[in-house]
Amino acid sequence: MNLQSWTPGRVNLIGEWIDFNGGTVLPASLPLGVEITLDPSPDNFDHVTSAQFPGKASAERDAPAQKHWADYVFGALQTARKQGWIKGAQTVRLDSTIPAGAGVSSSAAVTVGVLKACVPNGVDPTRIALLAQSVENEFIGVPCGIMDQMAVAHARPGEALALDTRALKFEQLAIPEGWTFAVINSGIERKLADGRYKERRDACLAAAKYLGIDYLCDAKDLSALPSNLHPIGQHVLSEDARSRAAIAALRRSDALAFGHQMLASHASLRKDFKVSTPEIDALVDDAVQLGAWGARITGAGFGGCIVVLLVDIKPAQWWADLHAAHPASRWICDVKAG
Ligand code: GLA
């Protein structure tokens, strides 16, 4: 008998680079996802095929990561076996509509999805999210926070997940009628494992250590920070405040205030945290010029997607105009009221 799951990707509406700094974030699930099917393997190897990539990847049951996209599956299978959820090696098939390398959590969807397929009924999705994060941190070697795994494990269509990343408490908030969040790929590919994620994360941890606190979001005064860490602290503190303000705006269906926080978030990611690119800045600017209420780079940055708030506007015409000005950009999907 085979095991199956479907898991969505996510877009982060606001609250960037604060999920390992004790902050509050606001991701939402995408209508795109990955379908995963597992069957017992005929040998002692895990085998993975994908409808989107040619060939087959195989690894011995307890082998270390191979720097291959299938590592997310191998790592999750090893974790599921350690938990006692499955016994032997597996043959796994993936079929995904989530674009890879675009910052919309295709990898978190795979790790959470494999674990979800293996898990016995009644296991808390937060536990699955934490195990999936440990696969990325320990097996793959990317020191990511918990936002993506929590988002894809918990988020429901038409809702955003207001998540306190420290307490792992969350609230599912309905996206107001009439709001459309468009997810647009800039066409600039990014990779989390290329070291820049770790570099930024280490700078945040260094800043917190400098101030003698566990979480940078708890800083009261940044003036003691050396000049290279000051902008990092400035982004983290202000982004946490913006994220909370945006959540309050979402609750009262105040699109103007929400869009304002998105724009301020982008400016901070560009100027202080320095994870945007000139092409993405131009895409964000034009998205707003053409009538969006807010726009920002989303996910870890260095390329990937922007998320845009459209209200009282026809998305198709808006997108046709934006695409004409930025031919490399691609429409990924939209997220709106359920
Ligand atoms: C990646 C990480 C997340 C988070 C974002 C930036 O998506 O996986 O944990 O840190 O970057 O907000």
Side-chain angles (χ1 to χ4, degrees):
M1 198 192 71
N2 60 29
L3 302 168
Q4 278 177 327
S5 68
W6 185 88
T7 309
R10 68 96 187 92
V11 59
N12 190 21
L13 304 182
I14 195 160
E16 219 62 84
W17 288 93
I18 56 173
D19 65 337
F20 53 84
N21 284 311
T24 296
V25 298
L26 189 66
S29 71
L30 301 183
L32 310 175
V34 59
E35 205 174 279
I36 300 182
T37 313
L38 276 71
D39 284 292
S41 163
D43 51 31
N44 205 27
F45 284 71
D46 291 317
H47 303 281
V48 186
T49 55
S50 155
Q52 283 67 45
F53 298 106
K56 175 166 90 169
S58 301
E60 207 164 358
R61 277 181 55 139
D62 298 319
Q66 311 178 358
K67 299 212 179 304
H68 189 277
W69 59 262
D71 283 343
Y72 294 96
V73 178
F74 298 140
L77 289 174
Q78 292 188 18
T79 298
R81 280 192 290 264
K82 276 188 205 128
Q83 295 297 311
W85 293 341
I86 50 169
K87 287 211 166 60
Q90 303 289 316
T91 297
V92 181
R93 283 190 310 284
L94 307 181
D95 192 356
S96 181
T97 53
I98 312 170
V104 285
S105 289
S106 57
S107 53
V110 168
T111 43
V112 167
V114 169
L115 292 169
K116 238 167 59 174
C118 298
V119 84
N121 278 340
V123 171
D124 179 4
T126 295
R127 186 162 161 225
I128 298 179
L130 286 164
L131 287 169
Q133 183 196 21
S134 76
V135 171
E136 296 221 24
N137 291 173
E138 289 152 34
F139 188 76
I140 309 285
V142 175
C144 63
I146 189 64
M147 169 172 73
D148 304 348
Q149 294 76 12
M150 284 294 279
V152 305
H154 283 286
R156 300 186 299 215
E159 294 178 344
L161 193 79
L163 170 68
D164 171 342
T165 60
R166 193 178 318 188
L168 294 186
K169 290 205 176 111
F170 59 85
E171 225 183 311
Q172 280 142 323
L173 302 174
I175 295 173
E177 282 300 329
W179 294 27
T180 298
F181 288 101
V183 184
I184 308 293
N185 193 341
S186 63
I188 301 168
E189 199 177 326
R190 47 164 284 281
K191 285 201 176 66
L192 270 193
D194 70 359
R196 284 181 295 183
Y197 186 87
K198 181 171 182 315
E199 222 175 80
R200 287 294 188 292
R201 182 187 161 111
D202 287 350
C204 292
L205 301 185
K209 197 165 169 205
Y210 214 95
L211 298 172
I213 52 181
D214 288 338
Y215 293 103
L216 194 47
C217 284
D218 288 343
K220 299 275 174 276
D221 178 8
L222 299 173
S223 55
L225 285 179
S227 59
N228 61 325
L229 295 179
H230 195 272
I232 296 278
Q234 182 58 38
H235 167 72
V236 166
L237 267 195
S238 60
E239 183 73 358
D240 194 36
R242 282 186 291 270
S243 185
R244 289 164 194 273
I247 290 168
L250 182 73
R251 286 185 201 282
R252 53 173 205 275
S253 301
D254 183 345
L256 196 63
F258 196 100
H260 175 78
Q261 298 302 335
M262 289 176 84
L263 291 172
S265 169
H266 184 79
S268 176
L269 288 159
R270 171 171 58 79
K271 277 197 323 248
D272 288 335
F273 213 71
K274 298 190 172 54
V275 289
S276 188
T277 70
E279 296 90 334
I280 290 182
D281 296 340
L283 192 61
V284 163
D285 285 351
D286 287 347
V288 175
Q289 285 300 318
L290 290 168
W293 290 46
R296 55 183 289 278
I297 190 168
T298 182
F302 309 111
C305 287
I306 67 167
V307 58
V308 179
L309 174 56
L310 302 173
V311 185
D312 296 337
I313 192 174
K314 290 209 166 57
Q317 186 55 52
W318 171 87
W319 166 237
D321 293 343
L322 187 68
H323 189 239
H326 298 268
S329 63
R330 291 190 297 280
W331 175 270
I332 300 290
C333 63
D334 58 20
V335 173
K336 43 191 177 191

